[in-house]
Amino acid sequence: MKPEFQGKSLPVVTIFSKSGPLAGDLAACLSGRFRIDRATSLQGALKSIAVGCQALMILKAADEYWGPACTDLVKQALSDKCRVLILGSGGLGLESDLDSRVIYLPPLPSPQILFANLAGLEASAQA
């Protein structure tokens, strides 16, 4: 069952990061308004999308190479009407039609920027 806040189910945000403490800090910041799923593998992120997350936050370090598998992850998320936010340096090398549908944020965005870019998410009916 999804957590509730003031009688409403919380929307699910998946934080995908291969490693690093920033994912935990983001989860703590967002956990009061969203249910947070953390994924450290592409398979975990795909599973979260499949069960109905509303936003996917990809944390990308400057020296990380993501490759075609991450492009497939973004495609799947967007096709499932999941908002995609990328935090970090550089892009993922996405095709222009995908790139234009992704929200790019700095590596350490302020809470106001995070919440503004996650505004309007609806909780899915799935529990």
Side-chain angles (χ1 to χ4, degrees):
M1 184 168 166
K2 290 187 180 178
E4 292 187 0
F5 179 73
Q6 296 179 349
K8 297 180 182 179
S9 290
L10 298 175
V12 178
V13 174
T14 298
I15 299 173
F16 174 50
S17 175
K18 292 183 180 179
S19 64
L22 180 58
D25 293 341
L26 283 171
C29 176
L30 299 172
S31 65
R33 295 188 188 172
F34 304 98
R35 183 179 132 210
I36 305 299
D37 285 344
R38 289 185 55 193
T40 57
S41 69
L42 287 167
Q43 295 81 9
L46 284 167
K47 181 180 177 186
S48 187
I49 292 167
V51 297
C53 81
Q54 289 77 33
L56 172 67
M57 297 178 77
I58 300 172
L59 309 184
K60 183 182 177 296
D63 59 348
E64 285 182 310
Y65 173 74
W66 291 80
C70 197
T71 299
D72 293 342
L73 173 66
V74 171
K75 284 180 183 178
Q76 184 62 48
L78 292 172
S79 72
D80 287 357
K81 298 184 181 15
C82 179
R83 194 175 302 176
V84 177
L85 298 94
I86 298 175
L87 285 71
S89 303
L92 297 177
L94 302 172
E95 303 159 4
S96 63
D97 64 321
L98 290 177
D99 196 58
S100 66
R101 297 170 55 199
V102 171
I103 300 166
Y104 288 94
L105 298 176
L108 296 171
S110 71
Q112 294 85 356
I113 290 173
L114 283 174
F115 288 119
N117 282 285
L118 293 170
L121 294 179
E122 297 293 327
S124 71
Q126 299 175 4

